[in-house]
Amino acid sequence: MDKKDIKKVVLAYSGGLDTSIIIPWLKENYNNCEVIAVSGDVGQGTELDGLEEKALKTGASKLYVLDLKKQFIEDYIFPTLKAGAVYEGDYLLGTSFARPIIAKEIVEIAKKEGADAICHGCTGKGNDQVRFELTIKAFAPDLAIIAPWREWSIKSREEEIAYAEAHNIPLKINRETNYSKDKNLWHLSHEGLDLEDPANEPQYLKEGFLEMGVAPEAAPDKPTYVTIHFEKGVPTAIDGVEMGAVELLEKVNKLGGENGIGLADLVENRLVGMKSRGVYETPGGTILYRAHQVLETLCLDRDTQHYKELVAQKYAELVYFGQWFTPLREALAAFVDKTQETVTGDVKLKLYKGNIINAGTTSPYTLYSEEVATFDEDHVYNQADSAGFINLFGLPIKVRAKLSQNWDK
């Protein structure tokens, strides 16, 4: 679509540095087009305060704020939790699965408003551009997409701040605290500034750095116990009290944050090919992942548990790469749901200075038999049976060893 044909644009709007300057930039570069801002509330908290006034003052015709918190947890976080999906061993995908839900809802607004294009503020270096655009392609394959970072002459966040200042756009950040952050109910990410050098230790104890909790050194000297109940792989209660999805996640976030749980510092492989250093706060999510993993050790048979670990790695890649709305992700989710039919029970954990310590697990579907596993005398396991098993299991090794004795002769 030619620029002159674009008269109405729907913008994925956070009110942060990127999207704040995009509104006037769009009007300057796309024929003074109408800009409709859309914010998906996935738990950013105070970041949404004053957003409408700011959007209108900078040139938007209106702002939609969509409450997506419950849907975000139930339809995106919990399926990923059930899968046990973790990207590269450490990243619990907090930004990754927040993008598809926001992009999907923005497409709906664009259709409702009869927009000519959707615009996002993702950089050309990051993963989010892919996550947004793959979702847009899935639900509006013919809709034009505008990505200013791939068009404008601005090359750095420093230049963005200068542009904002020149256009009298108010910012909550300054040049000294200009970390690139992404926050939702699940996590908070930190990138940029001193964190760009992997040799620098994150300043967890620095006032204002951590927002969802405290550093392990600042956590209480007394442990906190928490019991989480799962129904078919989904957490439904804490310490015997049933809760909705949003309330439950807020509760475990508080417990985890208070005890210094869920800090991750990693150099990850971005989809676009480069390595990137990020620091993540995921207090409640880290607790839920551990509890779910522990419960599965009781409820899944060996072969299913081991194969599911392979599926989890692929599932994490799909989520990280923005391929949420794909046949493969949906097929893997169906496999995961089947495995979760018996993942019901209670997991008790001890939280202490950044550590999560197992403190007891029960399930009505447990596959653990104390009678079979005991070191004491039992009447259900004949130890003599193992000799024949080992002979058959080791037969290929034995045959190869005997025949190979003649290979060099």
Side-chain angles (χ1 to χ4, degrees), residues 272-305:
V272 295
M274 72 186 70
K275 290 184 181 290
S276 171
R277 198 270 188 96
V279 171
Y280 299 97
E281 301 178 53
T282 321
T286 302
I287 293 171
L288 293 178
Y289 261 76
R290 168 63 74 83
H292 181 261
Q293 177 189 34
V294 170
L295 184 58
E296 284 192 327
T297 65
L298 283 190
C299 301
L300 298 186
D301 65 278
R302 181 191 64 195
D303 289 349
T304 300
Q305 183 178 338

Side-chain angles (χ1 to χ4, degrees), residues 275-344:
K275 290 184 181 290
S276 171
R277 198 270 188 96
V279 171
Y280 299 97
E281 301 178 53
T282 321
T286 302
I287 293 171
L288 293 178
Y289 261 76
R290 168 63 74 83
H292 181 261
Q293 177 189 34
V294 170
L295 184 58
E296 284 192 327
T297 65
L298 283 190
C299 301
L300 298 186
D301 65 278
R302 181 191 64 195
D303 289 349
T304 300
Q305 183 178 338
H306 288 183
Y307 194 80
K308 184 172 178 288
E309 290 173 0
L310 302 177
V311 170
Q313 182 176 347
K314 185 60 181 178
Y315 199 107
E317 281 190 350
L318 292 171
V319 176
Y320 188 86
F321 293 167
Q323 296 170 296
W324 186 272
F325 297 107
T326 60
L328 178 55
R329 205 282 310 169
E330 292 169 0
L332 295 185
F335 165 80
V336 168
D337 284 344
K338 180 64 179 178
T339 70
Q340 300 300 290
E341 289 179 351
T342 58
V343 183
T344 294

Side-chain angles (χ1 to χ4, degrees), residues 181-199:
K181 294 187 178 186
D182 178 74
K183 185 177 184 181
N184 58 47
L185 274 171
W186 186 249
H187 91 155
L188 174 65
S189 64
H190 309 256
E191 292 179 317
L193 297 181
D194 57 307
L195 298 178
E196 290 190 347
D197 185 350

